[in-house]
Amino acid sequence: MADTLQQMKSSFIEYILFHYRFKSRISIWVLNYLKSSTDTLQSVHFVDEIIPSHNTLEISVVNSNNIAIRLILKNKQLINNDEIFNYIANQNLALDIKLHFEHPFDRESRLDELLISQLLNSPYYALYMHDIYSIPLSKQNEISIIQHLQANIDLSLQLHDRPLFYQLSQILNTFESRNANTGTRD
């Protein structure tokens, strides 16, 4: 599963590099570096909402209203300079990546798919559960995800895989809570 998730992240990076123009050449350097470094890519997590206590790389596409590139660390912030690339390439750090698109309400469906896959396959899923509330899903997609979760919860019970059972149960409960909060539950 971890290999598949890394491949999905790499494929997503390749996709955005091909389909979007970024404000800074440094963004392109960093994304290409991450795509080619599977070890580093393992500690990268794409996010929809920034978690204040996490190391976060913010990258903006052309015409967005955000800073071109910013690396937020616990003790400092680097903005629009080459040191960002050097820091990421030379430090072994866990890193969240927040992409800023042209319009604040633009959604990249491939990013949403990646966010869901990260929740289902990452051991750090609990830190990112809040992203479930921001992912727009059709009723059909949501039903499909819930059915997938229920089937895999049953499988985890049969396999006596306690950690997987708890992970999938928490994600399912969050999806059900999302439905209750948005009034979309049947």
Side-chain angles (χ1 to χ4, degrees):
M1 285 290 192
D3 289 340
T4 303
L5 184 56
Q6 297 341 323
Q7 291 169 348
M8 194 171 189
K9 289 177 192 177
S10 179
S11 174
F12 176 71
I13 291 171
E14 194 169 308
Y15 171 81
I16 62 174
L17 284 167
F18 184 74
H19 285 88
Y20 292 95
R21 287 183 44 230
F22 294 91
K23 284 185 172 184
S24 170
R25 64 180 166 38
I26 302 162
S27 299
I28 296 166
W29 296 350
V30 169
L31 289 169
N32 274 308
Y33 170 75
L34 292 173
K35 182 181 74 153
S36 66
S37 174
T38 54
D39 290 341
T40 306
L41 200 54
Q42 285 183 333
S43 27
V44 166
H45 202 98
F46 286 87
V47 297
D48 192 55
E49 293 183 32
I50 294 172
I51 300 172
S53 61
H54 287 200
N55 297 324
T56 304
L57 177 67
E58 293 183 67
I59 298 175
S60 298
V61 301
V62 171
N63 296 327
S64 78
N65 293 327
N66 299 84
I67 293 171
I69 185 168
R70 173 176 31 195
L71 179 61
I72 303 168
L73 305 164
K74 288 180 177 71
N75 56 354
K76 67 178 171 178
Q77 213 177 117
L78 304 171
I79 298 174
N80 295 335
N81 68 47
D82 294 354
E83 191 180 344
I84 293 171
F85 176 80
N86 294 329
Y87 195 88
I88 290 171
N90 296 316
Q91 301 294 320
N92 185 17
L93 70 147
L95 184 66
D96 289 351
I97 297 179
K98 168 64 178 163
L99 298 170
H100 296 286
F101 295 100
E102 185 173 345
H103 302 288
F105 301 109
D106 281 352
R107 295 295 303 193
E108 176 52 62
S109 61
R110 289 188 63 164
L111 175 60
D112 292 336
E113 291 170 13
L114 179 58
L115 293 174
I116 291 170
S117 289
Q118 288 177 147
L119 285 169
L120 296 175
N121 298 302
S122 171
Y124 309 109
Y125 72 95
L127 299 170
Y128 302 99
M129 294 284 279
H130 61 277
D131 277 344
I132 288 175
Y133 292 99
S134 62
I135 300 171
L137 294 168
S138 70
K139 187 66 176 166
Q140 183 179 357
N141 285 345
E142 193 155 352
I143 289 169
S144 175
I145 290 168
I146 289 172
Q147 289 173 342
H148 172 79
L149 288 167
Q150 290 168 336
N152 282 290
I153 287 169
D154 291 343
L155 182 60
S156 70
L157 286 171
Q158 291 171 6
L159 297 173
H160 305 289
D161 188 341
R162 229 180 209 177
L164 182 61
F165 169 78
Y166 289 125
Q167 177 176 353
L168 297 177
S169 295
Q170 276 190 289
I171 294 169
L172 177 62
N173 289 339
T174 305
F175 267 105
E176 289 176 343
S177 171
R178 163 192 156 122
N179 285 340
N181 290 339
T182 60
T184 59
R185 188 170 176 117
D186 291 319

